[in-house]
Amino acid sequence: MPKEEKKQAPEGFEPSMFENVEPICLFDDLFYVGNRVVGIHILKTSEGLVLFEGTDNPDADEEILQPGLKKLGLQNEKILALMITHGHFDHYMGAAKIQGRTGCPVGMSLEDTAYLSWADENMGPDIPRELPRITRILKDGENLVYGDHCVYVMAAPGHTPGCLNFCFDVHDCGEIHHVVMMGGYGVFGPGNYPDGAYPYGVQWAVDQALLFASSCVKTWEYCKKNHCDVYMNPHPHLCELIEHAEQNRHRKEGEANAFVIGTEGVRQWISERFHVCIESAQKFTDIQVPGRN
Ligand SMILES: [Zn+2]
Protein backbone atom coordinates (compact mmCIF):
# COMPACT_ATOMS: atom_id res chain seq x y z
CA MET A 1 0.00 0.00 0.00
CA PRO A 2 1.44 3.43 -0.79
CA LYS A 3 2.42 5.35 2.30
CA GLU A 4 -0.12 8.10 1.54
CA GLU A 5 -2.86 5.61 2.29
CA LYS A 6 -1.81 5.13 5.88
CA LYS A 7 -2.56 8.40 7.58
CA GLN A 8 -6.15 9.02 6.51
CA ALA A 9 -8.85 6.95 4.97
CA PRO A 10 -7.70 6.53 1.37
CA GLU A 11 -9.86 7.48 -1.55
CA GLY A 12 -12.85 5.17 -1.85
CA PHE A 13 -12.68 4.13 1.81
CA GLU A 14 -15.19 5.43 4.34
CA PRO A 15 -13.56 6.23 7.71
CA SER A 16 -16.03 3.79 9.29
CA MET A 17 -14.31 0.97 7.41
CA PHE A 18 -11.43 1.37 9.85
CA GLU A 19 -13.62 0.77 12.90
CA ASN A 20 -13.29 -2.70 14.34
CA VAL A 21 -16.14 -5.09 13.62
CA GLU A 22 -17.46 -7.71 16.02
CA PRO A 23 -15.31 -10.86 15.86
CA ILE A 24 -16.58 -13.16 13.13
CA CYS A 25 -16.88 -16.94 13.17
CA LEU A 26 -16.35 -17.95 9.54
CA PHE A 27 -16.16 -21.71 10.08
CA ASP A 28 -16.10 -24.01 13.11
CA ASP A 29 -12.34 -23.51 13.23
CA LEU A 30 -11.72 -20.15 11.49
CA PHE A 31 -12.36 -16.69 12.91
CA TYR A 32 -11.69 -13.07 12.01
CA VAL A 33 -10.90 -10.06 14.17
CA GLY A 34 -10.17 -6.59 12.82
CA ASN A 35 -11.86 -3.88 10.81
CA ARG A 36 -13.34 -3.85 7.30
CA VAL A 37 -10.00 -3.17 5.65
CA VAL A 38 -7.49 -5.40 7.42
CA GLY A 39 -7.42 -7.91 10.26
CA ILE A 40 -6.27 -11.22 11.66
CA HIS A 41 -7.60 -14.63 10.68
CA ILE A 42 -7.46 -17.18 13.50
CA LEU A 43 -7.27 -20.91 12.79
CA LYS A 44 -8.22 -23.06 15.77
CA THR A 45 -6.40 -26.37 15.90
CA SER A 46 -6.41 -29.20 18.44
CA GLU A 47 -3.23 -27.76 19.97
CA GLY A 48 -3.94 -24.03 19.88
CA LEU A 49 -4.29 -21.10 17.52
CA VAL A 50 -2.49 -20.12 14.34
CA LEU A 51 -2.77 -16.42 13.53
CA PHE A 52 -2.51 -15.00 10.03
CA GLU A 53 -1.28 -11.41 9.77
CA GLY A 54 -0.47 -8.64 12.22
CA THR A 55 -2.62 -5.74 10.86
CA ASP A 56 -1.67 -2.05 10.51
CA ASN A 57 -2.21 -1.32 14.20
CA PRO A 58 0.87 -1.48 16.47
CA ASP A 59 -1.52 -2.03 19.39
CA ALA A 60 -3.51 -4.76 17.64
CA ASP A 61 -2.77 -7.20 20.45
CA GLU A 62 -4.47 -5.09 23.09
CA GLU A 63 -7.09 -3.43 20.92
CA ILE A 64 -8.10 -6.20 18.52
CA LEU A 65 -6.70 -9.64 19.28
CA GLN A 66 -7.15 -10.00 23.05
CA PRO A 67 -10.70 -8.61 23.21
CA GLY A 68 -11.57 -10.59 20.07
CA LEU A 69 -10.32 -13.87 21.50
CA LYS A 70 -12.24 -13.23 24.68
CA LYS A 71 -15.50 -12.67 22.83
CA LEU A 72 -14.88 -15.83 20.83
CA GLY A 73 -14.09 -17.82 23.99
CA LEU A 74 -10.59 -18.55 22.73
CA GLN A 75 -8.64 -16.54 25.31
CA ASN A 76 -7.15 -19.58 27.00
CA GLU A 77 -5.87 -21.16 23.79
CA LYS A 78 -2.15 -21.21 23.21
CA ILE A 79 -0.94 -19.13 20.27
CA LEU A 80 1.18 -21.52 18.25
CA ALA A 81 2.36 -19.19 15.49
CA LEU A 82 1.77 -15.94 13.69
CA MET A 83 2.27 -16.06 9.94
CA ILE A 84 2.57 -12.99 7.77
CA THR A 85 1.79 -13.08 4.06
CA HIS A 86 4.12 -10.21 3.16
CA GLY A 87 6.29 -7.38 4.38
CA HIS A 88 3.96 -4.39 4.08
CA PHE A 89 3.28 -2.35 7.20
CA ASP A 90 -0.45 -3.06 7.13
CA HIS A 91 0.32 -6.76 7.62
CA TYR A 92 3.05 -6.77 10.26
CA MET A 93 2.66 -3.71 12.50
CA GLY A 94 0.80 -5.41 15.34
CA ALA A 95 2.97 -8.52 15.21
CA ALA A 96 5.79 -7.29 17.47
CA LYS A 97 3.52 -6.81 20.50
CA ILE A 98 1.67 -10.09 19.93
CA GLN A 99 5.05 -11.79 19.77
CA GLY A 100 6.28 -9.88 22.83
CA ARG A 101 3.35 -11.01 24.96
CA THR A 102 2.94 -14.58 23.77
CA GLY A 103 6.46 -15.48 22.64
CA CYS A 104 4.96 -17.12 19.55
CA PRO A 105 7.11 -17.78 16.50
CA VAL A 106 6.55 -15.31 13.66
CA GLY A 107 6.89 -16.59 10.12
CA MET A 108 7.47 -14.84 6.81
CA SER A 109 9.35 -15.54 3.59
CA LEU A 110 13.08 -14.89 3.43
CA GLU A 111 12.63 -12.30 0.67
CA ASP A 112 10.09 -10.27 2.64
CA THR A 113 12.01 -10.56 5.90
CA ALA A 114 14.55 -8.40 4.09
CA TYR A 115 11.99 -6.37 2.12
CA LEU A 116 10.07 -5.18 5.16
CA SER A 117 13.14 -3.41 6.49
CA TRP A 118 13.97 -1.47 3.31
CA ALA A 119 10.69 -1.10 1.41
CA ASP A 120 9.97 2.55 0.77
CA GLU A 121 6.26 2.08 1.45
CA ASN A 122 7.13 1.02 5.03
CA MET A 123 9.06 4.23 5.74
CA GLY A 124 6.19 6.70 6.31
CA PRO A 125 6.54 9.08 9.26
CA ASP A 126 3.49 7.52 10.91
CA ILE A 127 4.76 3.98 10.59
CA PRO A 128 6.67 2.85 13.68
CA ARG A 129 9.87 0.96 13.06
CA GLU A 130 8.87 -1.66 15.60
CA LEU A 131 9.42 -4.73 13.46
CA PRO A 132 8.52 -8.25 14.50
CA ARG A 133 11.42 -10.65 14.89
CA ILE A 134 11.01 -13.20 12.12
CA THR A 135 11.86 -16.48 13.82
CA ARG A 136 10.56 -18.84 11.17
CA ILE A 137 11.43 -18.50 7.49
CA LEU A 138 8.50 -19.86 5.49
CA LYS A 139 9.37 -21.72 2.32
CA ASP A 140 7.43 -22.41 -0.84
CA GLY A 141 5.77 -25.82 -0.80
CA GLU A 142 6.20 -26.62 2.87
CA ASN A 143 3.43 -28.05 5.01
CA LEU A 144 3.36 -26.89 8.60
CA VAL A 145 1.49 -29.15 10.98
CA TYR A 146 -0.36 -27.68 13.96
CA GLY A 147 -2.31 -30.32 15.86
CA ASP A 148 -5.07 -31.59 13.59
CA HIS A 149 -4.48 -28.85 10.98
CA CYS A 150 -1.90 -28.29 8.32
CA VAL A 151 -0.91 -25.01 6.65
CA TYR A 152 0.51 -25.21 3.14
CA VAL A 153 2.85 -22.35 2.24
CA MET A 154 2.91 -21.14 -1.36
CA ALA A 155 5.22 -18.47 -2.70
CA ALA A 156 3.19 -16.03 -4.80
CA PRO A 157 5.59 -13.15 -5.44
CA GLY A 158 4.80 -9.91 -7.25
CA HIS A 159 2.78 -7.84 -4.82
CA THR A 160 6.03 -7.93 -2.85
CA PRO A 161 9.12 -9.98 -3.75
CA GLY A 162 8.31 -12.70 -1.20
CA CYS A 163 4.54 -12.56 -0.90
CA LEU A 164 2.95 -15.82 0.29
CA ASN A 165 -0.36 -17.61 0.08
CA PHE A 166 -1.56 -19.90 2.86
CA CYS A 167 -3.80 -22.91 2.22
CA PHE A 168 -5.53 -24.95 4.90
CA ASP A 169 -8.68 -26.92 5.64
CA VAL A 170 -11.60 -25.73 7.70
CA HIS A 171 -14.77 -27.41 8.91
CA ASP A 172 -18.44 -26.54 8.82
CA CYS A 173 -21.38 -28.74 9.86
CA GLY A 174 -19.26 -31.87 9.54
CA GLU A 175 -17.96 -30.90 6.09
CA ILE A 176 -14.41 -30.09 5.16
CA HIS A 177 -13.54 -27.08 2.98
CA HIS A 178 -10.28 -25.96 1.41
CA VAL A 179 -9.22 -22.37 1.91
CA VAL A 180 -6.77 -20.39 -0.17
CA MET A 181 -5.66 -17.15 1.47
CA MET A 182 -3.98 -14.95 -1.13
CA GLY A 183 -1.48 -12.57 0.41
CA GLY A 184 -1.26 -10.10 -2.45
CA TYR A 185 -3.87 -8.37 -4.53
CA GLY A 186 -2.10 -6.15 -7.04
CA VAL A 187 0.99 -4.13 -7.76
CA PHE A 188 1.81 -0.49 -7.26
CA GLY A 189 3.81 1.46 -9.78
CA PRO A 190 4.17 4.82 -11.45
CA GLY A 191 0.79 6.53 -11.35
CA ASN A 192 -0.30 4.92 -8.09
CA TYR A 193 1.66 7.38 -5.96
CA PRO A 194 -0.25 10.68 -5.93
CA ASP A 195 2.87 12.85 -5.79
CA GLY A 196 4.59 10.85 -8.53
CA ALA A 197 7.20 9.65 -6.06
CA TYR A 198 7.14 5.97 -7.00
CA PRO A 199 10.64 4.93 -5.96
CA TYR A 200 11.50 1.76 -7.87
CA GLY A 201 11.24 2.68 -11.54
CA VAL A 202 9.10 1.44 -14.41
CA GLN A 203 11.08 -1.75 -15.00
CA TRP A 204 10.62 -2.98 -11.43
CA ALA A 205 6.90 -2.17 -11.49
CA VAL A 206 6.32 -4.03 -14.75
CA ASP A 207 8.46 -6.99 -13.61
CA GLN A 208 6.51 -7.25 -10.37
CA ALA A 209 3.13 -6.94 -12.12
CA LEU A 210 3.99 -9.73 -14.57
CA LEU A 211 5.47 -11.82 -11.76
CA PHE A 212 2.28 -11.45 -9.77
CA ALA A 213 0.19 -12.39 -12.81
CA SER A 214 2.30 -15.55 -13.03
CA SER A 215 1.71 -16.16 -9.31
CA CYS A 216 -2.03 -15.92 -9.95
CA VAL A 217 -1.72 -18.72 -12.51
CA LYS A 218 0.29 -20.80 -10.03
CA THR A 219 -2.32 -20.15 -7.33
CA TRP A 220 -5.15 -21.19 -9.61
CA GLU A 221 -3.38 -24.37 -10.73
CA TYR A 222 -3.01 -25.32 -7.05
CA CYS A 223 -6.63 -24.45 -6.24
CA LYS A 224 -7.94 -26.42 -9.21
CA LYS A 225 -5.92 -29.49 -8.24
CA ASN A 226 -6.86 -29.28 -4.57
CA HIS A 227 -10.49 -28.22 -5.06
CA CYS A 228 -10.19 -25.03 -3.02
CA ASP A 229 -13.69 -23.73 -2.43
CA VAL A 230 -13.05 -20.80 -0.06
CA TYR A 231 -11.15 -17.63 -1.01
CA MET A 232 -9.68 -15.42 1.69
CA ASN A 233 -7.59 -12.28 1.72
CA PRO A 234 -6.16 -10.44 4.74
CA HIS A 235 -8.17 -7.47 3.43
CA PRO A 236 -11.88 -8.22 4.00
CA HIS A 237 -13.00 -5.82 1.27
CA LEU A 238 -11.03 -7.91 -1.25
CA CYS A 239 -12.95 -11.12 -0.55
CA GLU A 240 -16.40 -9.87 0.53
CA LEU A 241 -15.73 -11.13 4.04
CA ILE A 242 -18.10 -8.72 5.77
CA GLU A 243 -20.84 -9.35 3.20
CA HIS A 244 -20.56 -13.11 3.57
CA ALA A 245 -20.56 -12.81 7.36
CA GLU A 246 -23.77 -10.80 7.09
CA GLN A 247 -25.33 -13.49 4.86
CA ASN A 248 -24.31 -16.14 7.42
CA ARG A 249 -25.99 -14.19 10.20
CA HIS A 250 -29.32 -15.06 8.58
CA ARG A 251 -28.27 -18.59 7.72
CA LYS A 252 -30.89 -21.23 8.48
CA GLU A 253 -30.19 -24.83 9.35
CA GLY A 254 -29.16 -26.82 6.31
CA GLU A 255 -28.24 -23.71 4.28
CA ALA A 256 -24.78 -23.35 2.82
CA ASN A 257 -22.06 -21.30 4.49
CA ALA A 258 -21.74 -18.10 2.43
CA PHE A 259 -17.94 -18.33 2.54
CA VAL A 260 -18.06 -21.52 0.49
CA ILE A 261 -18.02 -20.14 -3.04
CA GLY A 262 -16.85 -23.27 -4.85
CA THR A 263 -13.81 -23.74 -7.04
CA GLU A 264 -15.42 -21.64 -9.78
CA GLY A 265 -15.90 -18.77 -7.31
CA VAL A 266 -12.24 -19.07 -6.32
CA ARG A 267 -11.24 -19.02 -9.99
CA GLN A 268 -13.15 -15.78 -10.52
CA TRP A 269 -11.35 -14.00 -7.68
CA ILE A 270 -7.93 -15.16 -8.87
CA SER A 271 -8.85 -14.28 -12.43
CA GLU A 272 -9.77 -10.76 -11.36
CA ARG A 273 -6.37 -10.38 -9.66
CA PHE A 274 -4.63 -11.72 -12.78
CA HIS A 275 -6.30 -9.13 -15.00
CA VAL A 276 -5.51 -6.31 -12.58
CA CYS A 277 -1.82 -7.27 -12.85
CA ILE A 278 -1.82 -7.43 -16.64
CA GLU A 279 -3.59 -4.07 -16.87
CA SER A 280 -1.15 -2.57 -14.35
CA ALA A 281 1.86 -3.75 -16.36
CA GLN A 282 0.31 -2.00 -19.36
CA LYS A 283 -0.36 1.20 -17.45
CA PHE A 284 3.12 1.48 -15.93
CA THR A 285 4.91 1.83 -19.25
CA ASP A 286 4.43 4.02 -22.31
CA ILE A 287 5.01 0.98 -24.50
CA GLN A 288 1.49 -0.04 -25.37
CA VAL A 289 -0.06 -3.00 -27.10
CA PRO A 290 -1.24 -1.80 -30.55
CA GLY A 291 -4.96 -1.35 -30.79
CA ARG A 292 -5.42 -1.45 -27.04
CA ASN A 293 -4.95 2.23 -26.28
ZN1 LIG B 1 0.64 -5.28 0.62
mmCIF file of all heavy atoms in Angstrom, residues 183-200:
data_model
loop_
_atom_site.group_PDB
_atom_site.id
_atom_site.type_symbol
_atom_site.label_atom_id
_atom_site.label_comp_id
_atom_site.label_asym_id
_atom_site.label_seq_id
_atom_site.Cartn_x
_atom_site.Cartn_y
_atom_site.Cartn_z
ATOM 1 N N GLY A 183 -2.103 -13.682 -0.303
ATOM 2 C CA GLY A 183 -1.480 -12.568 0.410
ATOM 3 C C GLY A 183 -1.514 -11.263 -0.352
ATOM 4 O O GLY A 183 -1.704 -10.202 0.224
ATOM 5 N N GLY A 184 -1.344 -11.323 -1.646
ATOM 6 C CA GLY A 184 -1.259 -10.099 -2.447
ATOM 7 C C GLY A 184 -2.545 -9.834 -3.186
ATOM 8 O O GLY A 184 -3.443 -10.666 -3.223
ATOM 9 N N TYR A 185 -2.656 -8.671 -3.768
ATOM 10 C CA TYR A 185 -3.865 -8.367 -4.527
ATOM 11 C C TYR A 185 -3.608 -7.476 -5.728
ATOM 12 O O TYR A 185 -4.505 -7.186 -6.498
ATOM 13 C CB TYR A 185 -4.923 -7.715 -3.624
ATOM 14 C CG TYR A 185 -4.472 -6.414 -3.025
ATOM 15 C CD1 TYR A 185 -4.759 -5.208 -3.646
ATOM 16 C CD2 TYR A 185 -3.733 -6.393 -1.849
ATOM 17 C CE1 TYR A 185 -4.325 -4.023 -3.098
ATOM 18 C CE2 TYR A 185 -3.286 -5.208 -1.306
ATOM 19 C CZ TYR A 185 -3.588 -4.029 -1.936
ATOM 20 O OH TYR A 185 -3.140 -2.855 -1.403
ATOM 21 N N GLY A 186 -2.391 -7.015 -5.901
ATOM 22 C CA GLY A 186 -2.104 -6.153 -7.042
ATOM 23 C C GLY A 186 -0.711 -5.593 -6.895
ATOM 24 O O GLY A 186 0.048 -6.006 -6.016
ATOM 25 N N VAL A 187 -0.364 -4.673 -7.745
ATOM 26 C CA VAL A 187 0.990 -4.132 -7.756
ATOM 27 C C VAL A 187 0.920 -2.621 -7.910
ATOM 28 O O VAL A 187 0.139 -2.110 -8.700
ATOM 29 C CB VAL A 187 1.791 -4.744 -8.927
ATOM 30 C CG1 VAL A 187 3.163 -4.119 -9.040
ATOM 31 C CG2 VAL A 187 1.917 -6.252 -8.741
ATOM 32 N N PHE A 188 1.724 -1.941 -7.122
ATOM 33 C CA PHE A 188 1.808 -0.492 -7.258
ATOM 34 C C PHE A 188 2.956 -0.119 -8.180
ATOM 35 O O PHE A 188 3.975 -0.807 -8.236
ATOM 36 C CB PHE A 188 2.008 0.167 -5.895
ATOM 37 C CG PHE A 188 0.782 0.079 -5.047
ATOM 38 C CD1 PHE A 188 0.680 -0.875 -4.048
ATOM 39 C CD2 PHE A 188 -0.295 0.904 -5.289
ATOM 40 C CE1 PHE A 188 -0.461 -0.987 -3.291
ATOM 41 C CE2 PHE A 188 -1.453 0.804 -4.533
ATOM 42 C CZ PHE A 188 -1.531 -0.144 -3.524
ATOM 43 N N GLY A 189 2.767 0.987 -8.873
ATOM 44 C CA GLY A 189 3.811 1.457 -9.780
ATOM 45 C C GLY A 189 3.620 2.919 -10.078
ATOM 46 O O GLY A 189 2.823 3.590 -9.414
ATOM 47 N N PRO A 190 4.328 3.423 -11.088
ATOM 48 C CA PRO A 190 4.169 4.824 -11.448
ATOM 49 C C PRO A 190 2.695 5.117 -11.732
ATOM 50 O O PRO A 190 2.030 4.346 -12.412
ATOM 51 C CB PRO A 190 4.987 4.936 -12.742
ATOM 52 C CG PRO A 190 5.923 3.787 -12.722
ATOM 53 C CD PRO A 190 5.246 2.698 -11.963
ATOM 54 N N GLY A 191 2.206 6.193 -11.164
ATOM 55 C CA GLY A 191 0.793 6.529 -11.350
ATOM 56 C C GLY A 191 -0.024 6.204 -10.118
ATOM 57 O O GLY A 191 -1.059 6.805 -9.874
ATOM 58 N N ASN A 192 0.432 5.258 -9.309
ATOM 59 C CA ASN A 192 -0.300 4.916 -8.086
ATOM 60 C C ASN A 192 0.081 5.821 -6.932
ATOM 61 O O ASN A 192 -0.639 5.891 -5.941
ATOM 62 C CB ASN A 192 -0.049 3.470 -7.667
ATOM 63 C CG ASN A 192 -0.683 2.469 -8.607
ATOM 64 O OD1 ASN A 192 -0.045 1.551 -9.074
ATOM 65 N ND2 ASN A 192 -1.952 2.666 -8.914
ATOM 66 N N TYR A 193 1.226 6.471 -7.024
ATOM 67 C CA TYR A 193 1.657 7.378 -5.957
ATOM 68 C C TYR A 193 1.223 8.794 -6.342
ATOM 69 O O TYR A 193 1.667 9.313 -7.366
ATOM 70 C CB TYR A 193 3.181 7.313 -5.770
ATOM 71 C CG TYR A 193 3.646 6.141 -4.948
ATOM 72 C CD1 TYR A 193 3.269 4.847 -5.277
ATOM 73 C CD2 TYR A 193 4.449 6.323 -3.836
ATOM 74 C CE1 TYR A 193 3.680 3.774 -4.527
ATOM 75 C CE2 TYR A 193 4.875 5.249 -3.078
ATOM 76 C CZ TYR A 193 4.489 3.976 -3.424
ATOM 77 O OH TYR A 193 4.897 2.912 -2.670
ATOM 78 N N PRO A 194 0.354 9.395 -5.538
ATOM 79 C CA PRO A 194 -0.254 10.676 -5.928
ATOM 80 C C PRO A 194 0.769 11.766 -6.245
ATOM 81 O O PRO A 194 0.568 12.560 -7.141
ATOM 82 C CB PRO A 194 -1.077 11.072 -4.695
ATOM 83 C CG PRO A 194 -1.309 9.794 -3.966
ATOM 84 C CD PRO A 194 -0.148 8.907 -4.261
ATOM 85 N N ASP A 195 1.903 11.791 -5.526
ATOM 86 C CA ASP A 195 2.869 12.850 -5.794
ATOM 87 C C ASP A 195 3.912 12.420 -6.833
ATOM 88 O O ASP A 195 4.923 13.085 -7.029
ATOM 89 C CB ASP A 195 3.566 13.284 -4.495
ATOM 90 C CG ASP A 195 4.241 12.103 -3.795
ATOM 91 O OD1 ASP A 195 4.148 10.980 -4.336
ATOM 92 O OD2 ASP A 195 4.853 12.302 -2.742
ATOM 93 N N GLY A 196 3.668 11.307 -7.492
ATOM 94 C CA GLY A 196 4.588 10.847 -8.530
ATOM 95 C C GLY A 196 5.901 10.340 -7.985
ATOM 96 O O GLY A 196 6.884 10.242 -8.725
ATOM 97 N N ALA A 197 5.932 10.000 -6.702
ATOM 98 C CA ALA A 197 7.204 9.650 -6.059
ATOM 99 C C ALA A 197 7.467 8.148 -6.044
ATOM 100 O O ALA A 197 8.182 7.658 -5.183
ATOM 101 C CB ALA A 197 7.222 10.196 -4.640
ATOM 102 N N TYR A 198 6.902 7.415 -6.959
ATOM 103 C CA TYR A 198 7.142 5.972 -6.996
ATOM 104 C C TYR A 198 8.649 5.697 -7.085
ATOM 105 O O TYR A 198 9.323 6.172 -7.993
ATOM 106 C CB TYR A 198 6.409 5.338 -8.176
ATOM 107 C CG TYR A 198 6.630 3.854 -8.255
ATOM 108 C CD1 TYR A 198 6.040 3.010 -7.326
ATOM 109 C CD2 TYR A 198 7.467 3.303 -9.218
ATOM 110 C CE1 TYR A 198 6.275 1.649 -7.366
ATOM 111 C CE2 TYR A 198 7.696 1.945 -9.263
ATOM 112 C CZ TYR A 198 7.097 1.121 -8.333
ATOM 113 O OH TYR A 198 7.335 -0.225 -8.366
ATOM 114 N N PRO A 199 9.186 4.960 -6.114
ATOM 115 C CA PRO A 199 10.641 4.929 -5.961
ATOM 116 C C PRO A 199 11.403 3.889 -6.781
ATOM 117 O O PRO A 199 12.620 3.962 -6.887
ATOM 118 C CB PRO A 199 10.802 4.610 -4.465
ATOM 119 C CG PRO A 199 9.580 3.826 -4.116
ATOM 120 C CD PRO A 199 8.485 4.264 -5.028
ATOM 121 N N TYR A 200 10.747 2.907 -7.355
ATOM 122 C CA TYR A 200 11.504 1.761 -7.872
ATOM 123 C C TYR A 200 11.710 1.740 -9.391
ATOM 124 O O TYR A 200 12.403 0.872 -9.905
ATOM 125 C CB TYR A 200 10.832 0.455 -7.448
ATOM 126 C CG TYR A 200 10.573 0.338 -5.967
ATOM 127 C CD1 TYR A 200 9.287 0.132 -5.485
ATOM 128 C CD2 TYR A 200 11.605 0.448 -5.046
ATOM 129 C CE1 TYR A 200 9.037 0.023 -4.137
ATOM 130 C CE2 TYR A 200 11.367 0.344 -3.690
ATOM 131 C CZ TYR A 200 10.075 0.135 -3.241
ATOM 132 O OH TYR A 200 9.839 0.036 -1.901
#
